[in-house]
Amino acid sequence: MKKTLIAFAALSAIAGVAQAQSTVTLYGLLDANLGSYKGNFVSGTAPAQTIQSARQTRIDSGGLNGSRWGIRIREDLGGGLAAIGNLESGINLDTGSSAQGGLLFGRRANVGLTGGFGTVTIGRNSSSYDDVSADHAMMGATIFDPSNTNNGLAVSQAAAIGSVAGAQPFLNRNTTWVGFNTRFNNSVKYISPNFGGFTGSLMYALGEDKTTGAGGVDASRTISANLKFANGPLVISGGYQSEQAGGSLGGANLNTPAGAEPALENALLNVSYDLGVARIGAGFNRAKYKDVAAPAILGGGTFAAQKEFSLSAAVPLGAATISATVARSKGDTLGKSTGAGIQALYSLSKRTTLYAGALSTKQYDRLARAVVTAAPGSNVGRVTTYAAGVRHTF
């Protein structure tokens, strides 16, 4: 009997150690809102084009954060080394469909190792630039943030600016900054350990779309990096990302000379400070279409950089937090884009938050007036948003 008990205890101890060495965590976030959106669209054909306004009331997913569910996996391998993995699926909560273009694990799908050297993952990763992109935004990358850092503007849209149809995505976007893409397939990502408050990260993504033969070009590729310092109430971070079109969009599609490498480049500096009674932040970004010719309607020539800034503040009031942000993007090619947003959060519990907010943006005035020559009114490119919703995490 004693031998049986001893054996049972030994097996239980072994099972407990094995369980401690390997963990699987299921998590998620559900976010939906009811909102009213008013924007402008181009009506008619040149030279008799006009700007028409339309308002749409709708239920959307992801007002504060994108709805998702995911699985995190970790196995301790000894000596401080661990194997890790993350599968994360985006959800359009208003329809029940998969987000990120219908991908099953469109938000994240990777595997890697972590230890004293840092963390390395391969697969579909968020970019290193994206990891610090909202450090300046005290309201976060929500639908009420005018810089709306999580919006994303593909390089391919630059090729279509020269047509009326191609210009409409600019007029209808509810963001002030040019934007960037946040996640990349076929990528390897490194995150450093924390050295006295300093951390860094580097990501490289292979487009795997090289073409050969006549007109063949190199594959597209993206490089992204960040450096961050966080010490008490002060946070300073910087990020860089170059999304090179390469084989998928190169050559005549972007009206670029032979041998050019068209790319969308973003370089960002963030500063934020927690005063106790309020948190304040500022962001400065430079967005540049490299080796992309400006369309004829904007005068042709080199596509000039957009210089962008954002100023924001958040004030905690017990269970509530009030935030406000102003943002601008200005350049010689697209013109000026401005926006202002405000939001209120109320925590019902640690996992459930009510929210409401408003956003007003006015998009690239030079582009809008060039496209709609017959109606260069003050409302060209104006977009307003009002919404209220609920977010729950699990």
Side-chain angles (χ1 to χ4, degrees), residues 14 53 70 127 129 155 196 207-208 222 261 267 316 344:
I14 293 172
S53 297
S127 74
Y129 180 95
V155 179
E208 300 185 4
T222 296
E261 297 182 342

Side-chain angles (χ1 to χ4, degrees), residues 1 23 56 70 95 135 173 199 210 222 261 299 306 324 365:
M1 183 65 178
T23 60
Q56 178 73 54
T95 63
D135 284 355
R173 294 169 67 237
T199 57
K210 184 175 183 177
T222 296
E261 297 182 342
Q306 292 289 122
D365 53 2

Side-chain angles (χ1 to χ4, degrees), residues 59-133:
I59 293 176
D60 267 343
S61 179
L64 299 183
N65 305 100
S67 298
R68 84 288 299 259
W69 70 273
I71 301 171
R72 292 191 185 95
I73 303 166
R74 180 186 178 96
E75 181 187 17
D76 292 329
L77 301 174
L81 184 66
I84 57 172
N86 194 185
L87 300 173
E88 190 170 280
S89 179
I91 308 169
N92 293 316
L93 210 61
D94 51 329
T95 63
S97 61
S98 294
Q100 288 79 49
L103 297 176
L104 176 58
F105 294 110
R107 291 184 62 88
R108 193 169 286 108
N110 57 52
V111 65
L113 296 172
T114 185
F117 59 88
T119 300
V120 176
T121 56
I122 58 175
R124 180 172 172 86
N125 289 290
S126 61
S127 74
S128 299
Y129 180 95
D130 182 49
D131 292 344
V132 298
S133 64

Side-chain angles (χ1 to χ4, degrees), residues 306-376:
Q306 292 289 122
K307 297 178 181 179
E308 304 174 322
F309 77 86
S310 171
L311 299 174
S312 62
V315 180
L317 301 169
T321 301
I322 308 296
S323 308
T325 302
V326 294
R328 172 177 287 187
S329 176
K330 186 176 182 181
D332 292 336
T333 303
L334 296 177
K336 182 173 64 177
S337 176
T338 58
I342 186 170
Q343 73 179 24
L345 310 181
Y346 186 82
S347 297
L348 296 176
S349 69
K350 289 184 178 180
R351 297 189 298 168
T352 303
T353 302
L354 300 178
Y355 64 87
L359 170 69
S360 177
T361 61
K362 187 176 181 182
Q363 303 301 307
Y364 312 111
D365 53 2
R366 189 166 184 266
L367 170 64
R369 283 165 172 75
V371 172
V372 193
T373 56

Side-chain angles (χ1 to χ4, degrees), residues 226-320:
N226 73 47
L227 182 63
K228 184 171 182 175
F229 174 75
N231 185 9
L234 176 65
V235 175
I236 303 174
S237 63
Y240 171 80
Q241 183 160 301
S242 174
E243 302 172 46
Q244 184 177 313
S248 59
L249 298 171
N253 288 343
L254 285 177
N255 192 28
T256 57
E261 297 182 342
L264 171 58
E265 297 180 339
N266 276 281
L268 172 68
L269 175 64
N270 303 302
V271 179
S272 67
Y273 195 85
D274 191 341
L275 299 170
V277 296
R279 292 181 295 116
I280 56 176
F284 307 90
N285 190 69
R286 182 181 185 272
K288 168 70 174 176
Y289 285 103
K290 176 177 175 287
D291 288 344
V292 176
I297 61 170
L298 293 176
T302 304
F303 211 113
Q306 292 289 122
K307 297 178 181 179
E308 304 174 322
F309 77 86
S310 171
L311 299 174
S312 62
V315 180
L317 301 169

